[in-house]
Amino acid sequence: MIAGITLLKMKPVYQISLDGEMIGYVKNRNQFEEILEVTYNDNEELNIAFADFDVEMDYEFKLINRTTRVNEETVLAAINEKADITYYQYAVIAGGVEKEYFCSEEQANELASSLSEKLADKAGVSVERIYTKQLKETSSVEIATISDTIAAQIDNEIKEEERKEKSTINGVHIAVMPVKGNVSSRFGSRESIRDHAHKGLDIATKQGTDIKAAATGTVSFSGTKNGYGNLIIIDHGNGITTYYGHCSKLYKEVGDEVVAGDVIAAVGSTGRSTGPHLHFEIRKNGEYVNPAQYLFI
């Protein structure tokens, strides 16, 4: 009689403990272990690839008051905190760089197909399943919009790479326009002020304008030289040198290391000059080359 009354007031459950700490109750051990299996092994809904548990999990049969809540969600949450979870996502790769992430392989393939069509597959678009300890943020923007944005970005990257390749001479990247202004005399032109074809590029701009190093290198000359007036020469290695003539001021000395874009002098009209401008030369192994081929003027 007493046993029957007890069973009416109590219910059978399994108490779960992690490393000896009780975390809650579940109704059925077998069903709960199936839930764990589904949750932590290749779970498509949560993008879980697998999970490792560096804890000891114990089940103990118990009779508890029927009014006590069986909190399987709480138990799962506690287990989740202890679990070392590895997730999977799908990365859309273009130009060897992961551009966008999706939890859905279908969406990733949709974006990859769109990008391949827009870029004529110039960037080697592909989809790769990646594994991560923390899911990477996914965009809520429509695929078409993402595709347009990435395609434009990659187009710009390709153009910049092509531009960089065209502005490189003997491995030296002519990265910076020395000054902004109007081209007053191009390479090879003939004018009355000289008895030979022009061996550089003249860029007219106001007196005192900053002159920047076109590429990284070492100052090999800083002083006055014949018709150049005040002149700076930078040695960039590999037989490439750049000349900056007719300066009003020189800010660098021989031996100074400069980085492309550093201010090295100021525009002037010293030497054989008819007005403030920069005379800019590029020489390869001592031979004059057309600066416009590398500066895109």
Side-chain angles (χ1 to χ4, degrees):
M1 183 74 173
I2 294 173
I5 293 172
T6 300
L7 288 173
L8 287 173
K9 291 183 177 181
M10 309 295 281
K11 60 183 176 182
V13 296
Y14 283 90
Q15 174 183 292
I16 296 182
S17 300
L18 295 179
D19 286 339
E21 179 186 352
M22 197 280 280
I23 59 172
Y25 305 103
V26 297
K27 291 179 182 179
N28 184 293
R29 175 175 177 169
N30 290 335
Q31 288 180 355
F32 187 71
E33 288 183 339
E34 287 178 6
I35 290 172
L36 289 178
E37 182 72 20
V38 170
T39 301
Y40 294 109
N41 286 281
D42 210 15
N43 186 323
E44 292 185 5
E45 184 177 347
L46 299 178
N47 283 81
I48 294 176
F50 52 84
D52 292 324
F53 297 96
D54 191 21
V55 293
E56 183 178 342
M57 185 162 61
D58 295 318
Y59 292 88
E60 185 178 354
F61 181 78
K62 290 277 188 180
L63 288 174
I64 63 172
N65 193 297
R66 285 193 176 277
T67 60
T68 302
R69 185 180 173 211
V70 178
N71 47 355
E72 292 183 354
E73 290 183 1
T74 302
V75 173
L76 277 172
I79 292 174
N80 200 60
E81 288 182 3
K82 299 280 189 178
D84 181 14
I85 300 174
T86 299
Y87 299 93
Y88 68 86
Q89 281 180 290
Y90 297 94
V92 177
I93 301 171
V97 178
E98 295 177 1
K99 294 292 185 179
E100 195 69 36
Y101 303 94
F102 294 93
C103 290
S104 162
E105 185 177 15
E106 182 181 354
Q107 287 183 308
N109 285 330
E110 183 181 348
L111 176 58
S113 176
S114 177
L115 281 175
S116 292
E117 184 177 343
K118 286 184 171 68
L119 295 168
D121 209 22
K122 289 183 291 185
V125 180
S126 63
V127 173
E128 182 177 326
R129 180 164 167 161
I130 63 170
Y131 296 89
T132 176
K133 292 299 182 182
Q134 185 172 358
L135 287 172
K136 299 180 185 295
E137 185 177 354
T138 59
S139 176
S140 59
V141 180
E142 292 183 357
I143 297 292
T145 302
I146 299 174
S147 177
D148 287 342
T149 301
I150 295 177
Q153 178 190 44
I154 291 175
D155 267 334
N156 288 336
E157 290 171 355
I158 291 172
K159 288 176 183 177
E160 181 59 30
E161 193 61 34
E162 290 173 348
R163 177 185 175 92
K164 184 175 181 179
E165 185 177 342
K166 290 179 180 177
S167 62
T168 298
I169 176 172
N170 251 30
V172 175
H173 177 40
I174 308 300
V176 176
M177 185 76 174
V179 295
K180 292 182 179 179
N182 297 317
V183 176
S184 56
S185 180
R186 292 187 175 273
F187 181 83
S189 63
R190 293 185 177 274
E191 287 109 2
S192 59
I193 60 171
R194 66 179 70 88
D195 59 3
H196 58 271
H198 196 208
K199 297 177 179 178
L201 190 73
D202 287 349
I203 305 171
T205 188
K206 66 180 181 180
Q207 182 87 7
T209 298
D210 286 343
I211 299 172
K212 299 176 181 179
T216 298
T218 304
V219 175
S220 60
F221 182 88
S222 180
T224 302
K225 189 177 182 70
N226 301 332
Y228 289 99
N230 293 329
L231 171 70
I232 279 187
I233 302 174
I234 300 177
D235 185 348
H236 306 286
N238 294 344
I240 305 302
T241 53
T242 51
Y243 285 56
Y244 308 78
H246 306 309
C247 306
S248 60
K249 297 178 181 178
L250 305 176
Y251 300 139
K252 299 295 182 180
E253 298 178 353
V254 172
D256 284 349
E257 301 287 337
V258 295
V259 174
D262 284 353
V263 175
I264 58 173
V267 169
S269 188
T270 58
R272 192 177 305 134
S273 170
T274 58
H277 71 283
L278 168 68
H279 172 82
F280 178 66
E281 290 178 13
I282 300 177
R283 298 191 191 184
K284 175 182 176 182
N285 297 323
E287 298 293 326
Y288 300 94
V289 296
N290 185 358
Q293 290 182 330
Y294 307 98
L295 290 175
F296 297 94
I297 296 175

